[in-house]
């Protein structure tokens, strides 16, 4: 079995984010429906308790699962899916850099507008929106797991200014970084007490 370095939690996060960077690396199978999907599938999300992960479609099928009609995990990756997956991994590896669409498109060997179009077709958002989401997730992770200040986290997560950081964070998490920090502290206290 390959790719066993992904933990359940990591894979769960990827499917919640419909992350196309992981298509072909693992498959999500849902016990209640008997269906398996790509990580990027945008069908309704299963309950965590009903999910199993497999590292090949054959393995999922051997366990009695049928391929999802929407994301067609048994159809192989289309050329566009391959490119989008490659770009998604590039963004995940380079989110700290001030990347512009033109540079990302250069990396993929496409024009910016064509990259924007296929990325949106595959993921429902543009590469820059996807990059913003990666940065916000990194920032949220740092808020939860580090002692860094919000200002340090802003730059550590690849934002170019505190105002960009604040705006992006609030848009995606529906809380300011400061309020997110407070809510985490409260949740931690609740966990410690129960
Ligand atoms: Zn699916």
């Amino acid at each position: 079995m390959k790719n066993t370095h992904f933990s359940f939690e990591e894979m769960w996060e990827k499917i919640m984010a419909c992350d196309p960077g992981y298509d072909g690396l693992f498959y999500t199978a849902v016990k209640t429906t008997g269906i398996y999907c790509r990580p990027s599938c945008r069908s309704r999300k299963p309950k965590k308790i009903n999910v199993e992960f497999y590292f090949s479609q054959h393995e999922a099928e051997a366990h009695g699962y049928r391929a999802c009609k929407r994301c067609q995990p048994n159809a192989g990756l289309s050329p566009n899916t391959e490119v989008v997956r490659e770009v998604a991994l590039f963004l995940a590896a380079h989110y700290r850099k001030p990347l512009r669409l033109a540079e990302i498109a250069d990396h993929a060997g496409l024009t910016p507008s064509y990259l924007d179009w296929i990325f949106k077709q595959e993921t429902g958002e543009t590469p820059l929106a996807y990059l913003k989401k990666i940065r916000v997730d990194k920032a949220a992770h740092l808020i939860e797991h580090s002692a860094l200040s919000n200002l340090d986290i802003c730059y550590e997560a690849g934002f170019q200014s505190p105002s960009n950081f604040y705006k992006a964070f609030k848009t995606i998490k529906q809380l300011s970084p400061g309020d997110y920090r407070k809510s985490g502290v409260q949740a931690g206290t609740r966990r410690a007490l129960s």
Side-chain angles (χ1 to χ4, degrees):
M1 203 197 291
K2 55 178 181 171
N3 299 318
T4 43
H5 56 281
F6 296 126
S7 72
F8 186 95
E9 284 304 322
E10 274 175 278
M11 292 189 280
W12 176 253
E13 277 174 26
K14 300 306 172 197
I15 67 166
M16 284 298 111
C18 301
D19 197 321
Y22 293 78
D23 278 8
L25 298 184
F26 70 84
Y27 300 86
T28 312
V30 184
K31 291 178 211 166
T32 41
T33 59
I35 301 283
Y36 74 97
C37 285
R38 303 170 190 268
S40 67
C41 184
R42 287 193 277 149
S43 297
R44 203 158 63 85
K45 296 301 174 192
K47 286 195 179 139
K48 203 170 184 176
I49 193 169
N50 294 327
V51 164
E52 291 183 312
F53 291 111
Y54 292 103
F55 296 99
S56 73
Q57 62 188 67
H58 307 290
E59 210 185 335
E61 284 171 11
H63 284 81
Y65 289 102
R66 283 169 297 114
C68 168
K69 289 210 167 65
R70 181 158 181 189
C71 64
Q72 304 185 342
N74 55 341
L77 299 180
S78 75
N80 280 359
T81 309
E82 287 280 17
V83 172
V84 167
R85 185 185 131 184
E86 154 75 14
V87 170
L89 290 176
F90 174 76
L91 296 176
H94 299 283
Y95 67 89
R96 278 205 182 94
K97 294 183 188 158
L99 292 169
R100 303 160 147 269
L101 181 61
E103 290 171 70
I104 304 167
D106 261 0
H107 171 80
L110 301 171
T111 64
S113 57
Y114 189 66
L115 173 64
D116 240 5
W117 185 73
I118 63 168
F119 206 93
K120 212 165 170 183
Q121 287 257 309
E122 296 280 331
T123 71
E125 60 193 356
T126 64
L128 290 182
Y130 180 84
L131 178 61
K132 192 189 281 182
K133 229 164 68 181
I134 293 177
R135 288 175 174 157
V136 166
D137 281 345
K138 295 287 172 189
H141 185 84
L142 287 171
I143 290 175
E144 287 169 40
H145 300 284
S146 80
L148 294 176
S149 70
N150 284 350
L151 189 63
D152 287 338
I153 288 173
C154 157
Y155 295 111
E156 190 62 28
F159 289 98
Q160 300 307 300
S161 74
S163 63
N164 283 347
F165 170 46
Y166 186 91
K167 218 169 101 189
F169 199 96
K170 184 126 196 204
T171 307
I172 291 173
K173 296 285 181 196
Q174 264 100 53
L175 285 173
S176 70
D179 286 342
Y180 186 82
R181 189 183 290 275
K182 277 184 226 147
S183 73
V185 169
Q186 278 156 8
T189 315
R190 276 202 300 278
R191 267 200 300 280
L193 290 174
S194 61

